[in-house]
């Protein structure tokens, strides 16, 4: 395993210690997002491990810059929910940010890829364990897709996400 990825895994586990993803330790979600991001390279895998660290812990952007560099820190900051407002307002602000990202910029590209992987991971988990949250993701999908999808960037992730959102419980759970 790459040393930078191992550092990201160790860093994220330490920062998210004690946090849960449903009934699982939080790192289960981070590892799932990393696995989905694997085809997009080591930097996408690193961002996947760190994608919630600014939002859910006391970690600062400066710490990420120091340990992982500007590009990774900027990418993680793009993924971080705004602080103020309810879920709807936060998602509107986040979608606005995604709309403005230029996928030719490496940090923005990584953020868009990892966000699609994160959403796919969340949708799969909610479909199996939290049907009420799955319905919430279905309702949010159209606006999220308009903001975060970029043609040709991570088509297979989007294909699976779109398919799960569209068919919901109409197909057998896997």
């Amino acid at each position: 395993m790459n040393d930078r990825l191992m550092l990201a895994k160790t860093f994220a586990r330490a920062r998210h210690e004690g946090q849960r993803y449903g009934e699982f330790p939080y790192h289960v979600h981070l590892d799932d997002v990393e696995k989905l991001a694997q085809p997009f390279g080591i930097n996408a895998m690193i961002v996947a491990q760190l994608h919630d660290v600014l939002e859910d812990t006391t970690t600062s952007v400066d710490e990420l810059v120091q340990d992982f560099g500007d590009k990774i820190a900027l990418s993680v900051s793009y993924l971080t929910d705004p602080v103020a407002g309810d879920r709807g307002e936060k998602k509107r602000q986040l979608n606005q940010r995604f709309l403005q990202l230029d996928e030719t910029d490496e940090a923005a590209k990584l953020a868009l890829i990892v966000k699609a992987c994160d959403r796919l991971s969340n949708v799969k988990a909610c479909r199996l364990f939290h049907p009420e949250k799955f319905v919430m993701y279905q309702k949010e999908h159209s606006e999220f897709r308009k903001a975060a999808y970029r043609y040709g960037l991570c088509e297979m992730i989007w294909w699976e996400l779109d398919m799960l959102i569209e068919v919901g419980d109409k197909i057998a759970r896997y």
Side-chain angles (χ1 to χ4, degrees), residues 56-162:
D56 295 341
T57 76
T58 59
T59 303
S60 71
V61 173
D62 290 339
E63 289 175 278
L64 292 181
V65 169
Q66 180 179 340
D67 288 342
F68 301 99
D70 291 333
K71 179 174 35 181
I72 298 296
L74 182 57
S75 186
V76 173
S77 71
Y78 287 149
L79 294 166
T80 302
D81 275 356
V83 177
D86 62 9
R87 179 181 174 83
E89 180 56 29
K90 288 179 182 183
K91 295 308 172 189
R92 276 188 289 283
Q93 289 178 38
L94 193 60
N95 285 342
Q96 198 56 37
R97 183 185 308 149
F98 292 150
L99 276 170
Q100 296 171 9
L101 293 181
D102 175 2
E103 72 272 14
T104 62
D105 173 76
E106 188 64 20
K109 179 180 176 180
L110 289 168
L112 291 166
I113 289 168
V114 171
K115 187 59 191 177
C117 294
D118 176 43
R119 183 58 66 106
L120 178 56
S121 175
N122 287 333
V123 166
K124 288 168 117 178
C126 288
R127 187 168 171 262
L128 292 174
F129 301 113
H130 302 284
E132 69 288 348
K133 285 186 178 179
F134 178 77
V135 171
M136 173 192 71
Y137 284 121
Q138 283 181 307
K139 289 176 183 173
E140 293 176 348
H141 186 67
S142 177
E143 291 304 311
F144 171 70
R145 191 179 206 291
K146 286 177 194 172
Y149 174 78
R150 300 296 189 280
Y151 178 79
L153 190 56
C154 50
E155 292 297 327
M156 289 307 295
I157 298 295
W158 280 102
W159 179 85
E160 187 173 357
L161 180 57
D162 289 342

